[in-house]
Amino acid sequence: MRGVVMHAPGDVRTEELDMPVIVEPTDAIIRVTATCICGSDLWPYRGIEQLNGPQRMGHEYIGVVESVGDAVVLVKPGDHVVGSFVASDNTCEICRAGYQSRCVHQVMMGAVGTQAQYARIPLADGTLVVTPGEPPADLVPSLLAASDVLGTGWFAAVAAEAGPGKTVAVVGDGAVGLLGALAAAQLGAERIIVMSRHADRQALARRFGATDIVEERGDAGVAKIKELTDGLGAHSTIEAVGTQESMDQAIRATRAGGHVGFVGVSHDVSIDGLELFFSSVHLHGGPAPVRRFLPELIRLIWDREIDPGAVFDLTLPIDEAAEGYRAMDERRATKVLLTTD
Amino acid sequence: MRGVVMHAPGDVRTEELDMPVIVEPTDAIIRVTATCICGSDLWPYRGIEQLNGPQRMGHEYIGVVESVGDAVVLVKPGDHVVGSFVASDNTCEICRAGYQSRCVHQVMMGAVGTQAQYARIPLADGTLVVTPGEPPADLVPSLLAASDVLGTGWFAAVAAEAGPGKTVAVVGDGAVGLLGALAAAQLGAERIIVMSRHADRQALARRFGATDIVEERGDAGVAKIKELTDGLGAHSTIEAVGTQESMDQAIRATRAGGHVGFVGVSHDVSIDGLELFFSSVHLHGGPAPVRRFLPELIRLIWDREIDPGAVFDLTLPIDEAAEGYRAMDERRATKVLLTTD
């Protein structure tokens, strides 16, 4: 089968790989029908995260179950499924509290590599959610988005307590930030301010529900958000970048008593304790427990109430994955979908 | 009138000061019937916080209203009152959201100095809460505690989402941490683990509702809390110290999806973004909005349902304030009450 391997920063190749096999009785093997490239895949691509030798890539996927281990009871061969980027048993105390991304038996799907024609899914019963049938072709991108980028944006909006009467600020106009805006709109937010200086992303943000766009960054961006909120700051801020600047901006743009939901994987970010103390904000984030939201997200997509697949602006066959990485790295594409047949 | 002034680290004196007068029409003048020394007063006393010349001290107080400005309508001369350590209008959007300590018109009472026989209370209508009558002598310490140390411990427990079914860990066995344990018990927590290695404070913690004591600190303390919680960590952790070690300990002792309420004024604390990201905890704290809780705290004290005044283990006349500072600095006393008559 064909699958994507990163050999070094900037060096991504699609290669012939061994077919995955059932290892644990809780595993399933799926035929991946669509996968994609994540903003987080760019960290090693850019040399910011270390690679330890060649690495299988990918953690987002939808597919069809091919075979299951003896202990799997909730999914069966032929089922069309969407799964989270973290495999979880969905039964431990942490999962039951809604934090499946921190399941006591968690397996990061990045270690499996779903940018491939087939993938082994650990803890299949807890990880995979069956769709109501074979997805119509036009829903494939949206269902794929649910696997990570939508689920992550959704978690950010929930962590930021976006809701009716709230003004939500979004720091980051990548796919996660844009889908955070979509989530905030679905959750009933009154006003959604997206920070972006790219016309195409501004347009998508507005399509997803943004009511205001702020082009300024850093202190000027914070000042602009205060200006739009009677000097108080946003009730809810989504941080979807993961840099020092974006985290500082998110905390400073939020009013006392407000909530920051942060989902950008923090790289070299340090939060000053005294500043956080006097900010009086709530801070919550981390790897999104996508599994918590998947059933509802699949329903919203299936009923065509949301269209998160619009974040994909480039589709390539998996054999051209290298071009997909380049396009995202150079910001020629927001999010790249890889087809596998 | 007599009042306390810090001239330099370690140099505290009780001096003859001018009587306060009404400055703004929203002011009240109160005769202070009891005041106390706060753990945070030790920061400048120990030279960790800079003093800019001689400084009036104190921000905790109960008293009797002497006179009010023209705009004051909710309190009147003769009223017995308790107030927060932050003066607030209690009407702005931030106050109405429950964050009176970050009122858009906030005045820190430390700038006023309540370790004195009389004090000017700004924004009297929003700041002062009238008690049902003249407090019986035995309730004075508890009502005074409500002004800051109880209100702060209470906020920490609320910020940590202590409640039924929850295991709460408390980092810090000072007065705030001990009253955080009391608050957790009142909020219905199932299990309350206090980290302390002082026999007298352990005893007080148990009296306030602690079910377990952990003597270990740092990584060993975290390991012990994990051991007591099926390896998962506490649901709710109260951080009531304000050092790097205590903040790290609090975050690491909390399970994924759990809540850290931090009220120790962070000094040289820096939170690693990546560690916080993968901890998946909620982090919330800051200067406690004591005013939010005061009516309920006064009721609980008046009805003798709680006895937070037990944290005072030394009472001195205000003229002996210097000895009170020494006793707290040397940890001979947990909390010192100053009488003013």
Side-chain angles (χ1 to χ4, degrees):
Chain A
M1 71 157 189
R2 309 293 290 168
V4 177
V5 178
M6 190 179 291
H7 287 261
D11 180 6
V12 167
R13 308 177 203 166
T14 305
E15 302 178 349
E16 196 60 30
L17 300 171
D18 287 341
M19 277 289 287
V21 294
I22 301 282
V23 178
E24 302 287 339
T26 46
D27 288 348
I29 304 297
I30 65 165
R31 177 166 58 83
V32 175
T33 50
T35 181
C36 53
I37 304 171
C38 181
S40 69
D41 294 334
L42 296 181
W43 294 106
Y45 188 82
R46 288 169 174 164
I48 300 170
E49 252 176 43
Q50 179 122 25
L51 276 176
N52 300 310
Q55 189 176 297
R56 295 276 307 271
M57 299 299 295
H59 52 264
E60 298 159 283
Y61 56 98
I62 66 170
V64 183
V65 176
E66 287 278 312
S67 59
V68 297
D70 291 342
V72 175
V73 297
L74 297 178
V75 297
K76 59 182 190 307
D79 281 349
H80 291 267
V81 292
V82 184
S84 154
F85 68 95
V86 183
S88 58
D89 63 23
N90 209 28
T91 57
C92 77
E93 197 171 332
I94 301 296
C95 281
R96 279 182 285 127
Y99 285 84
Q100 291 92 337
S101 49
R102 296 293 313 286
C103 171
V104 298
H105 297 117
Q106 69 167 72
V107 181
M108 298 300 288
M109 292 302 299
V112 169
T114 63
Q115 289 168 9
Q117 290 181 297
Y118 293 86
R120 180 175 74 87
I121 310 296
L123 304 168
D125 274 345
T127 305
L128 298 173
V129 178
V130 180
T131 58
E134 181 174 352
D138 67 315
L139 294 189
V140 165
S142 288
L143 290 168
L144 175 61
S147 180
D148 177 355
V149 73
L150 171 62
T152 295
W154 199 275
F155 171 60
V158 168
E161 301 211 350
K166 300 282 189 79
T167 293
V168 179
V170 181
V171 180
D173 64 356
V176 171
L178 294 170
L179 292 172
L182 178 151
Q186 284 291 316
L187 293 167
E190 185 172 305
R191 194 171 188 187
I192 300 166
I193 307 168
V194 172
M195 311 193 83
S196 172
R197 42 181 60 182
H198 300 88
D200 52 338
R201 298 183 181 209
Q202 293 176 1
L204 200 47
R206 287 197 185 274
R207 171 172 163 187
F208 285 155
T211 54
D212 300 81
I213 301 289
V214 165
E215 298 211 340
E216 291 84 349
R217 289 186 180 185
D219 290 347
V222 170
K224 189 73 192 181
I225 287 178
K226 295 254 169 137
E227 192 188 312
L228 291 169
T229 53
D230 297 328
L232 301 178
H235 297 94
S236 304
T237 303
I238 291 172
E239 191 288 309
V241 183
T243 62
Q244 185 71 49
E245 189 189 8
S246 62
M247 181 63 98
D248 288 344
Q249 201 169 314
I251 293 171
R252 292 170 191 165
T254 308
R255 66 180 58 197
H259 292 76
V260 176
F262 71 106
V263 291
V265 182
S266 314
H267 284 77
D268 295 322
V269 172
S270 157
I271 300 159
D272 181 72
L274 203 59
E275 178 173 348
L276 185 67
F277 184 88
F278 285 107
S279 77
S280 296
V281 302
H282 299 72
L283 192 53
H284 181 45
V290 172
R291 180 63 183 79
R292 188 204 310 177
F293 308 112
L294 268 183
E296 171 69 359
L297 299 182
I298 290 171
R299 188 194 68 73
L300 288 168
I301 292 165
W302 207 266
D303 294 348
R304 291 186 158 74
E305 291 181 27
I306 58 174
D307 181 22
V311 292
F312 291 104
D313 49 2
L314 180 61
T315 298
L316 294 170
I318 196 165
D319 276 328
E320 292 173 34
E323 166 55 16
Y325 277 78
R326 272 194 300 276
M328 278 181 63
D329 178 43
E330 295 163 9
R331 293 179 74 91
R332 284 185 281 117
T334 303
K335 183 94 179 156
V336 177
L337 187 148
L338 300 175
T339 57
T340 51
D341 48 9
Chain B
M1 70 158 188
R2 307 294 290 167
V4 177
V5 178
M6 190 178 291
H7 287 262
D11 180 6
V12 167
R13 308 175 203 168
T14 305
E15 301 178 348
E16 196 61 29
L17 302 171
D18 287 342
M19 278 289 286
V21 294
I22 301 280
V23 178
E24 302 287 341
T26 46
D27 287 348
I29 303 297
I30 65 165
R31 177 167 58 81
V32 176
T33 50
T35 181
C36 53
I37 303 172
C38 180
S40 69
D41 294 335
L42 296 182
W43 294 106
Y45 188 81
R46 290 170 174 164
I48 300 169
E49 250 177 43
Q50 178 123 25
L51 276 175
N52 300 311
Q55 190 177 297
R56 293 279 306 273
M57 298 300 293
H59 52 264
E60 298 158 284
Y61 57 97
I62 66 170
V64 183
V65 176
E66 288 278 312
S67 60
V68 297
D70 292 341
V72 175
V73 297
L74 299 177
V75 297
K76 59 184 187 305
D79 282 347
H80 292 266
V81 291
V82 184
S84 155
F85 68 96
V86 183
S88 57
D89 62 24
N90 209 29
T91 57
C92 77
E93 197 172 331
I94 301 296
C95 282
R96 280 182 284 127
Y99 285 84
Q100 291 91 339
S101 49
R102 297 292 313 286
C103 169
V104 299
H105 298 117
Q106 69 168 71
V107 180
M108 298 302 287
M109 291 302 299
V112 169
T114 64
Q115 289 167 9
Q117 290 180 296
Y118 293 86
R120 179 176 75 87
I121 310 295
L123 303 168
D125 275 343
T127 305
L128 298 172
V129 178
V130 180
T131 59
E134 180 173 354
D138 67 316
L139 293 189
V140 165
S142 287
L143 290 167
L144 175 61
S147 180
D148 176 355
V149 73
L150 170 62
T152 295
W154 199 275
F155 171 59
V158 168
E161 300 212 349
K166 301 281 187 83
T167 293
V168 180
V170 181
V171 180
D173 65 355
V176 171
L178 294 169
L179 292 172
L182 178 151
Q186 284 291 316
L187 293 167
E190 185 172 304
R191 193 171 190 186
I192 300 166
I193 307 168
V194 173
M195 311 192 86
S196 172
R197 40 180 61 180
H198 300 88
D200 53 338
R201 297 182 183 209
Q202 293 175 0
L204 200 49
R206 287 196 185 275
R207 170 172 164 186
F208 285 155
T211 55
D212 300 82
I213 301 289
V214 165
E215 297 210 342
E216 291 85 348
R217 288 188 182 185
D219 290 346
V222 170
K224 189 76 191 172
I225 287 178
K226 294 253 168 137
E227 192 187 311
L228 292 169
T229 53
D230 298 326
L232 301 178
H235 297 94
S236 304
T237 303
I238 291 172
E239 191 290 308
V241 183
T243 63
Q244 186 70 49
E245 190 190 7
S246 62
M247 182 62 100
D248 288 343
Q249 202 168 313
I251 292 171
R252 292 171 192 165
T254 309
R255 68 182 56 198
H259 293 75
V260 175
F262 72 105
V263 292
V265 182
S266 314
H267 284 77
D268 295 322
V269 173
S270 158
I271 300 159
D272 181 72
L274 203 59
E275 179 175 346
L276 185 68
F277 184 87
F278 284 107
S279 77
S280 296
V281 303
H282 299 72
L283 191 54
H284 181 47
V290 172
R291 179 65 182 78
R292 189 204 309 178
F293 308 112
L294 268 182
E296 171 70 357
L297 299 181
I298 290 171
R299 187 194 68 73
L300 288 169
I301 292 164
W302 207 265
D303 293 349
R304 291 184 158 75
E305 292 181 27
I306 58 174
D307 182 23
V311 293
F312 291 104
D313 49 2
L314 181 61
T315 297
L316 295 170
I318 195 165
D319 276 328
E320 293 173 34
E323 166 54 16
Y325 276 78
R326 272 194 300 275
M328 278 182 62
D329 178 41
E330 296 163 9
R331 292 180 74 91
R332 285 185 281 116
T334 303
K335 183 93 180 158
V336 177
L337 186 148
L338 300 174
T339 57
T340 51
D341 48 10

